[in-house]
Amino acid sequence: MSNHSNTIFFSKGDLVFKVGDEADCAYIIESGTVGLYVDDQTGSLITTLNSGELLGEMGVIDSSMRLVSAYAESDLELMQINKTQITQRLQNSDPIIRTLMNVLLKRIRNMTQPNYREVRDANKTIGSNEHNLNLTEGIHKIRFEKELFQALENGDVVNVYQPMVNLDQGYIAGFEALSRWKHPEKGMISPFEFITLAEESDLIVTMGLNIFDNACRQLSEFQRARKTYDFKLPDLFMSINVSMAQLSDAYFFERIKQIAEKYKVKARNIKIEITESMLAEYGLVRRWIKDCHNYGFKISLDDFGTGYSGFQHLLELDFDSLKIDQAFIRAIESNPKSLIMLEVITEMAKRLGMSIVAEGIENLEGAETLASMGVDFGQGYYFFKPMNSEEIISILSR
Ligand code: C2E
Ligand code: CA
Ligand code: CA
């Protein structure tokens, strides 16, 4: 055997590793053939591996020892992969992928148990508390994701709508669509608990279309409900939250256009809320905003002031609306600085031609302060909590 940096050479008949050795690395077979044996080369041959295949990865993944012996069946060239190269990636990977990997490994081990020696020792790590914890967590997540998928199919993921009020004159100007999961046992589940889960899989794309469809259908219904008593007010609008995964989906934009057309809602009455954190994908977001503007959709920058993006993005991207984060609104009472900042942000938004929304308004004082500053719209428990569409319709037609 000789060693040039990461490449290791063996001659025909050489031992690469034997049963019971510590598994501290894996190999990619660059050329030649490796035989895997139950014991030593006199024992039975399990399989042979050829160039391009991976060797010895199993022990590395679950930190056990070699369960088979590997011999060079011909002259052999192997590229060594360090343990950390593998484990680091696994640790950084999606918890569900990690769990699947562990489940598969466990199954493989159980299946092959009679062939291998010292399996019990090797299973030490697999049976460890930490491992079981990760496994339980991962399995819980898979189950939860499956339930969410089912809920989506059953129509148990629904929208509620929170009115946004014109602060100057007090009328309902529009709504934000917020999603809820009606769970048969757990009751209403908050989007904080399931949006992330949906984002980790591709479920968010289907779910997002569902949310969009419901929101557009309701908007046209809300508009009709109100028209019966007051047609002098501007059209109602609907704000809809989107996630990064939706923007990255090639068909999402086409689909939401179709939905808007299906319900005959005017594009300018739809406001798409994106968050500051999404601006990290600058190029993509820029293109998306352009597409939306070409079609007529409005773009609102949500949670303004919480992210790291600062003013650079306001300079380069065109938002129609700024939504100041609730933290600023909450600080009105306790921190006089927040008032000054709110004044400046409002003035800036106006001069840049953006409308400005304050969310999380919980009392009269907040509402009055913000109205006097010239903030256009207010949203918060002081006015209305998020409600289902029947409640909204009854308020609109009151
Ligand atoms: P967000 O977009 O910042 O939505 C505002 C959140 O503040 C909502 O929580 C709303 O119910 C809550 N809120 C409104 N007024 C008040 C108030 O006066 N006081 C307090 N304490 N809270 C108030 P919700 O509905 O739990 O939504 C949480 C987050 O989940 C949303 O934050 C949004 O990031 C995400 N989300 C909700 N629905 C969707 C959706 O359809 N798609 C996506 N991608 N994300 C969604
Ligand atoms: Ca929002
Ligand atoms: Ca927000």
Side-chain angles (χ1 to χ4, degrees):
M1 177 184 100
S2 59
N3 190 344
H4 294 275
S5 66
N6 255 347
T7 309
I8 310 169
F9 298 93
F10 294 86
S11 306
K12 183 174 179 195
D14 280 353
L15 175 72
V16 182
F17 55 72
K18 68 173 193 306
V19 169
D21 281 356
E22 194 194 334
D24 51 2
C25 66
Y27 306 91
I28 294 169
I29 303 173
E30 298 282 23
S31 68
T33 303
V34 176
L36 297 183
Y37 293 85
V38 170
D39 202 337
D40 56 29
Q41 234 173 342
T42 60
S44 54
L45 176 71
I46 301 166
T47 187
T48 56
L49 299 170
N50 295 301
S51 84
E53 292 190 284
L54 205 55
L55 168 67
E57 75 290 353
M58 254 178 65
V60 175
I61 291 169
D62 64 3
S63 307
S64 59
M65 54 189 66
R66 304 293 186 196
L67 295 177
V68 295
S69 299
Y71 285 88
E73 299 287 312
S74 66
D75 287 350
L76 195 60
E77 195 182 333
L78 298 181
M79 194 214 281
Q80 191 172 329
I81 312 168
N82 296 334
K83 187 170 181 160
T84 46
Q85 287 180 282
I86 296 174
T87 50
Q88 199 76 43
R89 281 194 171 74
L90 273 178
Q91 272 156 23
N92 295 339
S93 74
D94 183 298
I96 291 184
I97 302 287
R98 230 159 41 220
T99 301
L100 283 175
M101 179 77 93
N102 281 323
V103 169
L104 281 176
L105 275 176
K106 197 168 182 174
R107 251 181 229 158
I108 292 169
R109 287 199 188 291
N110 287 342
M111 247 158 47
T112 49
Q113 204 147 4
N115 294 335
Y116 292 172
R117 271 186 186 176
E118 314 211 37
V119 166
R120 214 174 327 150
D121 277 352
N123 270 335
K124 270 206 301 257
T125 7
I126 270 194
S128 75
N129 279 342
E130 195 192 346
H131 173 89
N132 281 340
L133 201 68
N134 290 340
L135 199 66
T136 314
E137 231 171 67
I139 286 174
H140 171 75
K141 230 170 164 181
I142 291 174
R143 209 175 276 142
F144 204 45
E145 192 175 308
K146 183 113 196 299
E147 278 182 8
L148 182 56
F149 181 78
Q150 202 59 55
L152 206 57
E153 298 260 286
N154 297 349
D156 290 339
V157 180
V158 298
N159 288 357
V160 290
Y161 301 91
Q162 187 174 31
M164 291 190 205
V165 172
N166 175 302
L167 284 179
D168 189 32
Q169 298 174 46
Y171 63 86
I172 293 178
F175 308 89
E176 177 172 10
L178 295 159
S179 70
R180 298 286 180 269
W181 175 0
K182 284 200 285 186
H183 193 281
E185 288 128 41
K186 296 181 187 129
M188 283 288 187
I189 301 181
S190 149
F192 285 123
E193 280 183 59
F194 66 87
I195 294 284
T196 322
L197 185 69
E199 279 169 349
E200 282 172 12
S201 57
D202 260 354
L203 225 55
I204 191 71
V205 178
T206 321
M207 188 187 282
L209 286 172
N210 205 41
I211 290 164
F212 213 92
D213 192 282
N214 287 328
C216 287
R217 182 167 44 78
Q218 288 305 337
L219 178 62
S220 65
E221 238 181 79
F222 294 165
Q223 187 66 44
R224 273 199 303 279
R226 194 183 66 169
K227 258 188 182 148
T228 56
Y229 84 98
D230 198 341
F231 40 85
K232 289 187 292 293
L233 294 174
D235 287 351
L236 292 167
F237 62 80
M238 181 66 75
S239 284
I240 302 170
N241 296 287
V242 295
S243 301
M244 200 56 222
Q246 293 169 270
L247 264 57
S248 325
D249 183 85
Y251 303 104
F252 186 68
F253 184 70
E254 277 308 313
R255 299 292 299 278
I256 62 175
K257 269 175 22 183
Q258 288 165 3
I259 294 170
E261 276 152 28
K262 178 167 81 176
Y263 296 111
K264 300 191 169 58
V265 299
K266 292 179 192 128
R268 66 175 143 89
N269 293 331
I270 299 292
K271 294 190 189 184
I272 293 169
E273 293 197 2
I274 64 176
T275 56
E276 275 194 299
S277 61
M278 286 160 71
L279 302 183
E281 300 278 341
Y282 181 74
L284 192 75
V285 172
R286 190 192 174 91
R287 245 175 295 129
W288 167 268
I289 293 179
K290 230 173 156 180
D291 286 345
C292 284
H293 281 162
N294 283 339
Y295 185 68
F297 290 140
K298 298 273 166 60
I299 304 288
S300 183
L301 185 57
D302 199 1
D303 302 341
F304 181 72
T306 52
Y308 47 83
S309 66
F311 291 96
Q312 183 71 19
H313 290 112
L314 290 184
L315 193 64
E316 288 163 2
L317 298 171
D318 292 324
F319 297 103
D320 302 282
S321 177
L322 270 196
K323 215 166 169 183
I324 309 168
D325 190 67
Q326 310 194 7
F328 276 95
I329 312 301
R330 231 162 269 141
I332 290 181
E333 288 159 54
S334 54
N335 188 345
K337 276 199 225 169
S338 106
L339 268 184
I340 298 169
M341 291 172 78
L342 278 169
E343 264 167 14
V344 174
I345 294 170
T346 306
E347 169 73 9
M348 176 190 70
K350 297 219 155 250
R351 295 193 47 189
L352 291 173
M354 295 183 277
S355 69
I356 184 144
V357 186
E359 71 177 329
I361 303 177
E362 293 186 347
N363 52 49
L364 172 67
E365 196 198 5
E368 282 178 345
T369 308
L370 292 158
S372 71
M373 268 179 205
V375 171
D376 300 292
F377 305 110
Q379 178 183 352
Y381 296 169
Y382 170 67
F383 300 109
F384 300 101
K385 289 202 165 176
M387 292 173 284
N388 65 36
S389 48
E390 290 81 23
E391 290 170 297
I392 298 280
I393 287 176
S394 97
I395 289 172
L396 283 174
S397 40
R398 221 181 261 162

